[in-house]
Amino acid sequence: MFQPEIESQSPEERAGLQRERLASLVGRLRAVETRYWREKLRDVGDEPALEELPFTTKSELRDAFPFGMLAVPLEQTVRVHASSGTHGKPTIVAYTKHDVALFAEVNARAIACVGGSAGDVLHVAYGYGLFTGGLGLHYGGERLGATVVPASGGNVALQLELLADLGANGIACTPSFCLLLAERARESGLLDRIKLRYGILGAEPWSEAMRQKLESMWPGLDACDIYGLSEIIGPGVAVECREGKGALHIFDDVFLPEIVDPDTGAAADEGELVLTTLTKEASPVVRYRTGDVTRFIDGPCACGRTHRRIARFSGRVDDMLVIRGVNVFPSAIEGVVLDDPALGGQYAIVVDRRSAMPNLEVHCETVSNEVDSADLEQRLLARLEHRLRLRVIVRLASPGGIPRQEAGKARRVFDRTSDSDPFPLP
């Protein structure tokens, strides 16, 4: 553990710390002289329980663009990050020196969770810049004491040379890029020279089947999921440990979690993850609705950490596809595709909307041209229809037939609305 005195606290100690920090947060925000915080807390009592506080949504961050939600004077901030802004203006998140230190601290904890240590070479292949991924893991690695290689995204050939020549022990990147690196390492004969022990993989949804694929392609690799979002702090909100894959430790001494029904907002056994930042200074959020669907996992973890754990995300409230009245999460499709040894790791989902009733197509590629395509297609159709309770169309491609994305988050879902729409869409 990076901070055993915090990470192994008793539940009673941590609950007391959470109550103290929540009361301090509310008191501090009441004193902020901005319209946003005055209106946000106008109807809140003097000592509110967590569930008495109002929710926060992403639209509020957009409406407050750029600095309407600041809780400190702008001159006290030292950095900003931003979301991609795919639905309009980006959401801007500011950091004080304290926030930057916290960002490094939680990412150092995360790297230690997956097996990283001070003597490691950590290859960071997330994007750098306004995106939080690269800098978050970079400063986390330095805080842990590792030697960090700031490779950023793209340029696969150079990345492989760096991994081999510099002796990287760990890699931080998207799972789709990790898969692409494995494919190219095998093709170029570099796989035996790269000795990765762990992968810190996030920024896009991925399944247990993807983990099995990655760990089979990178011998000796522990592929672990890291979770974060720029509205909270970036990566380092939660992470799997190598001893307890399948559930993520939320660093709940600083990020207080709830799970609520997406429709009613009431507490639920499984539903939408809601987070409150207990110690952030510049851009705190209260009960932020992440849109990510999960549940709490009870019981101790073999690693000894006592942070609350959540199951890996089953999908997002807002990326669920509705096909002929059936709710479909892309992660369910990925699980079926990657579970078949005759298929490679690349796939795409195309929703054909050219007729009144949309059709769902699953495009994937075989691992070899020797595969019996007819048998594979029938097998895949049966498995997908059993899993989704929906008829699908399967399109098989030869090895390499699905275009690769060498930078950023992998796009898996495409809409086809006219005959001229190509696949994949540009």
Side-chain angles (χ1 to χ4, degrees):
M1 297 184 197
F2 177 63
Q3 295 173 311
E5 71 285 359
I6 296 174
E7 296 175 68
S8 60
Q9 269 184 324
S10 71
E12 295 77 20
E13 286 179 300
R14 184 164 298 120
L17 180 63
Q18 290 169 340
R19 287 192 297 270
E20 176 186 318
R21 286 181 166 176
L22 180 63
S24 175
L25 172 67
V26 172
R28 182 165 61 87
L29 294 179
R30 284 185 182 280
V32 174
E33 289 297 323
T34 66
R35 184 178 68 177
Y36 175 83
W37 287 111
R38 282 197 307 271
E39 293 180 355
K40 188 76 174 175
L41 301 177
R42 180 177 51 201
D43 299 324
V44 172
D46 290 338
E47 296 183 3
L50 179 61
E51 61 271 14
E52 295 172 333
L53 294 170
F55 289 114
T56 302
T57 63
K58 188 159 189 169
S59 63
E60 293 177 47
L61 278 73
R62 292 198 190 101
D63 292 344
F65 179 89
F67 297 122
M69 288 179 64
L70 271 184
V72 298
L74 184 60
E75 55 267 25
Q76 291 183 21
T77 67
V78 297
R79 184 194 298 177
V80 296
H81 282 289
S83 70
S84 58
T86 52
H87 298 287
K89 284 186 178 294
T91 55
I92 300 294
V93 180
Y95 297 69
T96 64
K97 288 182 180 179
H98 163 85
D99 296 334
V100 170
L102 174 64
F103 197 18
E105 182 179 290
V106 293
N107 277 284
R109 291 189 203 176
I111 297 166
C113 260
V114 306
S117 65
D120 288 346
V121 174
L122 175 63
H123 184 100
V124 178
Y126 286 114
Y128 281 65
L130 287 174
F131 174 62
T132 54
L135 286 171
L137 271 301
H138 182 115
Y139 284 110
E142 290 184 345
R143 180 75 172 84
L144 183 65
T147 299
V148 179
V149 181
S152 195
N155 203 338
V156 173
L158 175 61
Q159 300 252 6
L160 292 174
E161 290 177 9
L162 291 171
L163 286 165
D165 294 343
L166 302 183
N169 310 104
I171 185 169
C173 63
T174 64
S176 57
F177 192 63
C178 191
L179 180 66
L180 175 62
L181 289 172
E183 291 175 345
R184 299 290 172 80
R186 178 175 295 174
E187 292 168 5
S188 62
L190 286 173
L191 193 61
D192 291 341
R193 290 185 54 207
I194 299 173
K195 307 296 183 183
L196 292 172
R197 293 198 327 266
Y198 56 89
I200 311 165
L201 311 177
E204 63 189 29
W206 58 295
S207 63
E208 287 298 318
M210 174 67 94
R211 191 203 309 276
Q212 293 169 14
K213 183 81 70 176
L214 288 168
E215 291 184 347
S216 68
M217 296 184 75
W218 289 109
L221 180 81
D222 277 315
C224 295
D225 197 355
I226 187 169
Y227 173 71
L229 54 170
S230 60
E231 298 89 342
I232 301 299
I233 200 166
V237 173
V239 70
E240 289 180 309
C241 63
R242 60 179 176 172
E243 297 90 347
K245 295 174 187 173
L248 292 84
H249 294 275
I250 292 187
F251 297 130
D252 57 354
D253 57 309
V254 287
F255 308 119
L256 187 58
E258 304 169 76
I259 292 175
V260 305
D261 184 295
D263 296 321
T264 68
D269 293 331
E270 182 170 4
E272 182 178 3
L273 178 65
V274 172
L275 294 169
T276 297
T277 57
L278 294 175
T279 63
K280 275 184 67 181
E281 292 181 343
S283 298
V285 289
V286 173
R287 304 190 77 196
Y288 181 75
R289 302 191 65 153
T290 67
D292 296 307
V293 179
T294 186
R295 58 186 172 85
F296 286 124
I297 300 292
D298 295 324
C301 182
C303 73
R305 294 173 178 84
T306 56
H307 294 292
R308 197 79 190 265
R309 290 188 299 160
I310 55 172
R312 298 191 71 202
F313 298 103
S314 58
R316 281 188 54 81
V317 173
D318 56 3
D319 78 353
M320 180 179 71
L321 303 173
V322 181
I323 308 295
R324 297 175 179 254
V326 178
N327 296 338
V328 177
F329 284 110
S331 57
I333 296 172
E334 178 180 283
V336 173
V337 171
L338 297 188
D339 198 41
D340 196 308
L343 294 172
Q346 304 294 335
Y347 70 96
I349 301 163
V350 178
V351 182
D352 190 336
R353 302 186 186 277
R354 290 175 296 176
S355 60
M357 298 292 286
N359 291 304
L360 183 65
E361 299 177 7
V362 177
H363 296 239
C364 41
E365 64 182 41
T366 60
V367 295
S368 141
N369 288 319
E370 307 302 317
V371 169
D372 184 336
S373 296
D375 178 70
L376 173 59
E377 182 176 337
Q378 290 304 310
R379 182 170 72 241
L380 191 58
L381 276 171
R383 290 176 178 173
L384 285 168
E385 290 177 7
H386 175 75
R387 180 70 178 273
L388 305 177
R389 307 297 180 187
L390 178 75
R391 287 188 60 82
V392 300
I393 299 167
V394 170
R395 308 288 190 196
L396 295 178
S398 300
I402 302 291
R404 272 54 170 168
Q405 295 169 235
E406 295 196 0
K409 301 180 183 182
R411 184 180 176 189
R412 300 294 193 191
V413 181
F414 302 86
D415 271 347
R416 182 185 294 124
T417 57
S418 71
D419 292 340
S420 62
D421 282 345
F423 168 71
L425 299 177

